[in-house]
Amino acid sequence: MAVVWSALPPEVKQEVYKKLDFVNRNAMSLTCHREMDIIKSMELYVPHVRFGIKEDKCLVVIHTGIGQFYRLEFVKKEGGTLIYRTQNSYDPKDATIKFLPAEDPHKTGAFLLRQFFNRNPHSLIETFEWDLEYFKKKDECGISWETIDILNHFRACKFRIKKLVMDDTTQVDMRKVMSLICDWEILESIESLRLEVDPECLTPRKFFDRTDLFSRSVPFHDSSIWMSDRRGQTPGVLAGIAQISTKNCVTTARFAEMDDLCLFDAQNFPAFQVNEKITGKRQLHQHIDVVFRYCKSECGFWCHAIKKKYENLFMDYFKNEKCGLRWLCKKCSDPFEYWYYQNIGRRVLDEPEWLGIVEKPDDEDEEEFIKLKCETTRQEFKKNDKKQKKENAQKNKTPVIQKAWGFRNLDSGKNLDEDPNAMEMAEKKKERNKRSKEIKKNKKLMQKEAEAGKEKDSNSTKSENSGMLLSEEV
């Protein structure tokens, strides 16, 4: 005999909820008020979320695991907004498309993002990344206040975010905005991120970061990922950043390959044991008053740079360090974080319109040079993809994706840009919705008028009855 869902005990419903994918969990939260207590008692964890805004576009990407994500792109069109939805794919051909009469893609994307995460007080986002390229040129605060109001709807329900990432030109303004949107008791770090692409390597080769540990309520990291080696530039970059840093900051270069350990061995200075896992060497550049601390462990090689007069402030930081490679280390880092940053360069291929973190040009000549590097890198990724598809075809390893509700390629998911009939149907639907709203509005007005008429008749009847009673008494 089949068991009705409403007859199941809460413990069983909780187990069912755990096995649902992200989209179905969200759909379950919209079904019934009776189920909300169960949903609110369950933790919802997402490792990475991206939220991007351009002049006529909005982007929401929700990563739920390695290679698993839901991507929604909102594009402004005449009379409304098109929503392109893909699951585990960046290819527009795989998208299901929906037309909404809402004319502001930014507000639509923000509203949907809030619906996903603010319903559950136990939802937790490991990393939240902003891509606000358009507003860097237009809006002083980095994002429109109308969008902030939507993200901050019901102000008690703020986003629970552990790490906030943004590009290097919006991070100052966005810290002010995020205080209104995210729970600062949960926030553990803020990162400003740049990506320097290069066709000579398609995965991160090294990255620099300047870590501010003391001057803010949470640590701040100013990071730059390099997709090329260029070892000769490393000392100069490190020293340059260290010289302009305050006493609260230490600058570090972290290297991806074990072969880079030769850089440690090449330093002709006495070695010493920093702790049980790390061996170090120390070099003082007296003419610039900067100390280089070279470090190696079984994980790899990295190098700190800091002004000599501030070195003692960071001794505990150096001694307590276990692995200085962070997400470059496959062994010590979180598996999702390692996978995500190993593939971060693919954005030039998969999302050429959403490259807010790519290195910013200082002049027109440099801008053209960066565009050329991006295009060359894009071609290299395409070559690699073709090679990988050929190998998978030979091994019969074509992945099968079980798509979630709302992301399946049904007949309704026609390309509205190419199918004029589909766009016409969307326009007719918009008109029907508009007429339906007008009918409902007129019904409410007629109902109010009817109620007001009944009340008037009742009052007149009461006055007539009271008049008759008075005449009888006289």
Side-chain angles (χ1 to χ4, degrees):
M1 181 179 176
V3 180
V4 181
W5 171 260
S6 59
L8 293 174
E11 300 80 22
V12 176
K13 290 182 179 180
Q14 286 179 344
E15 291 302 316
V16 173
Y17 182 77
K18 288 178 184 177
K19 296 182 182 298
L20 294 176
D21 59 35
F22 177 82
V23 171
N24 285 317
R25 281 191 179 194
N26 182 69
M28 186 176 174
S29 69
L30 299 170
T31 55
C32 175
H33 286 291
R34 189 179 298 173
E35 312 296 340
M36 285 306 296
D37 290 338
I38 296 173
I39 293 164
K40 288 180 178 179
S41 67
M42 303 294 291
E43 182 176 312
L44 176 64
Y45 175 80
V46 174
H48 201 104
V49 172
R50 285 176 59 204
F51 182 65
I53 286 181
K54 288 183 179 292
E55 182 174 4
D56 57 355
K57 292 183 180 181
C58 181
L59 177 70
V60 175
V61 184
I62 300 169
H63 289 268
T64 57
I66 295 175
Q68 299 174 353
F69 60 90
Y70 302 95
R71 187 179 187 276
L72 301 103
E73 188 167 5
F74 306 82
V75 182
K76 187 174 183 180
K77 294 290 182 181
E78 186 177 353
T81 297
L82 288 179
I83 306 177
Y84 295 82
R85 298 170 291 184
T86 57
Q87 181 179 346
N88 305 340
S89 172
Y90 296 94
D91 192 345
K93 295 178 182 178
D94 296 334
T96 58
I97 306 172
K98 185 174 182 178
F99 180 83
L100 291 180
E103 295 188 0
D104 190 335
H106 307 158
K107 293 180 182 179
T108 307
F111 175 79
L112 187 64
L113 191 65
R114 182 179 64 79
Q115 290 289 97
F116 280 146
F117 293 103
N118 280 2
R119 286 183 170 275
N120 189 337
H122 296 291
S123 63
L124 180 64
I125 301 172
E126 184 72 28
T127 303
F128 194 102
E129 183 180 338
W130 293 82
D131 192 337
L132 306 173
E133 185 177 359
Y134 167 66
F135 280 104
K136 283 180 283 186
K137 300 176 182 178
K138 181 180 178 182
D139 197 322
E140 183 180 348
C141 71
I143 186 172
S144 67
W145 288 105
E146 292 84 357
T147 306
I148 293 170
D149 287 339
I150 295 170
L151 290 172
N152 194 29
H153 189 59
F154 303 129
R155 299 181 188 279
C157 301
K158 294 187 177 181
F159 289 93
R160 300 174 76 247
I161 301 166
K162 291 181 71 174
K163 181 181 178 182
L164 174 64
V165 177
M166 60 201 75
D167 67 84
D168 60 322
T169 57
T170 60
Q171 51 90 7
V172 175
D173 296 323
M174 281 307 301
R175 281 201 301 271
K176 302 173 186 176
V177 173
M178 287 307 295
S179 64
L180 300 173
I181 298 172
C182 71
D183 187 342
W184 283 91
E185 293 183 2
I186 304 296
L187 192 67
E188 294 180 358
S189 66
I190 301 174
E191 182 175 20
S192 167
L193 185 62
R194 292 177 300 282
L195 174 65
E196 184 176 300
V197 297
D198 205 294
E200 73 175 59
C201 185
L202 301 181
T203 56
R205 191 66 181 78
K206 63 183 176 185
F207 84 100
F208 294 91
D209 69 276
R210 183 180 62 170
T211 302
D212 184 340
L213 293 176
F214 307 118
S215 67
R216 296 179 174 87
S217 57
V218 294
F220 176 77
H221 306 282
D222 186 6
S223 304
S224 179
I225 300 173
W226 288 36
M227 308 289 284
S228 58
D229 189 348
R230 285 187 264 169
R231 295 180 181 179
Q233 294 186 19
T234 301
V237 172
L238 269 178
I241 299 174
Q243 282 180 287
I244 62 173
S245 296
T246 65
K247 67 178 181 180
N248 305 303
C249 298
V250 59
T251 304
T252 309
R254 310 174 196 272
F255 295 82
E257 304 293 335
M258 290 299 293
D259 293 343
D260 293 314
L261 282 170
C262 66
L263 298 175
F264 181 89
D265 299 329
Q267 308 304 319
N268 296 318
F269 306 100
F272 59 92
Q273 206 65 30
V274 179
N275 55 44
E276 59 182 10
K277 292 189 175 183
I278 298 174
T279 304
K281 292 181 179 181
R282 182 179 180 277
Q283 177 188 13
L284 171 62
H285 289 265
Q286 293 184 350
H287 63 287
I288 57 174
D289 196 35
V290 170
V291 172
F292 278 16
R293 296 178 63 93
Y294 305 96
C295 303
K296 76 169 183 177
S297 70
E298 61 180 13
C299 299
F301 169 69
W302 64 97
C303 178
H304 298 298
I306 190 170
K307 288 182 180 178
K308 182 179 181 300
K309 57 183 177 181
Y310 302 140
E311 184 181 12
N312 289 334
L313 296 174
F314 287 84
M315 281 304 175
D316 289 340
Y317 174 76
F318 297 140
K319 290 178 181 178
N320 294 327
E321 203 168 34
K322 296 294 188 295
C323 176
L325 300 185
R326 294 188 180 168
W327 49 261
L328 281 174
C329 181
K330 187 175 183 179
K331 177 184 175 182
C332 301
S333 64
D334 175 78
F336 172 84
E337 196 171 47
Y338 177 80
W339 168 83
Y340 184 83
Y341 283 102
Q342 285 295 309
N343 289 277
I344 198 168
R346 287 190 58 92
R347 289 194 192 179
V348 296
L349 172 65
D350 297 329
E351 298 181 299
E353 294 185 350
W354 296 97
L355 299 178
I357 64 170
V358 170
E359 179 190 21
K360 305 301 182 297
D362 294 327
D363 53 44
E364 292 183 4
D365 291 339
E366 189 176 357
E367 184 175 2
E368 290 300 319
F369 176 65
I370 291 173
K371 285 181 179 179
L372 181 61
K373 284 204 301 184
C374 285
E375 183 57 37
T376 309
T377 305
R378 190 175 296 122
Q379 296 302 323
E380 289 297 319
F381 275 119
K382 283 184 178 180
K383 288 180 184 177
N384 278 13
D385 284 356
K386 287 181 180 179
K387 183 180 177 181
Q388 189 64 45
K389 284 181 180 179
K390 188 176 180 180
E391 291 177 358
N392 289 340
Q394 292 173 350
K395 297 177 181 178
N396 295 321
K397 286 188 176 181
T398 305
V400 178
I401 301 173
Q402 184 65 39
K403 291 192 176 181
W405 174 83
F407 289 81
R408 296 166 190 156
N409 235 335
L410 304 176
D411 291 338
S412 58
K414 295 178 181 178
N415 192 323
L416 302 186
D417 289 333
E418 298 175 359
D419 188 349
N421 295 327
M423 182 64 81
E424 185 179 348
M425 290 174 65
E427 289 293 337
K428 287 180 179 179
K429 184 178 179 181
K430 180 184 174 183
E431 288 297 325
R432 286 197 302 269
N433 291 338
K434 187 177 178 180
R435 286 197 300 270
S436 177
K437 287 180 181 179
E438 289 178 354
I439 291 170
K440 287 180 180 179
K441 187 177 179 181
N442 291 334
K443 282 184 178 179
K444 286 182 179 180
L445 287 174
M446 290 173 66
Q447 188 176 359
K448 285 182 180 180
E449 289 176 358
E451 288 175 356
K454 287 180 181 179
E455 188 176 351
K456 186 177 179 181
D457 292 341
S458 175
N459 291 336
S460 62
T461 303
K462 286 180 181 179
S463 62
E464 287 177 4
N465 291 336
S466 61
M468 290 174 65
L469 289 171
L470 285 172
S471 62
E472 288 177 1
E473 288 178 2
V474 171

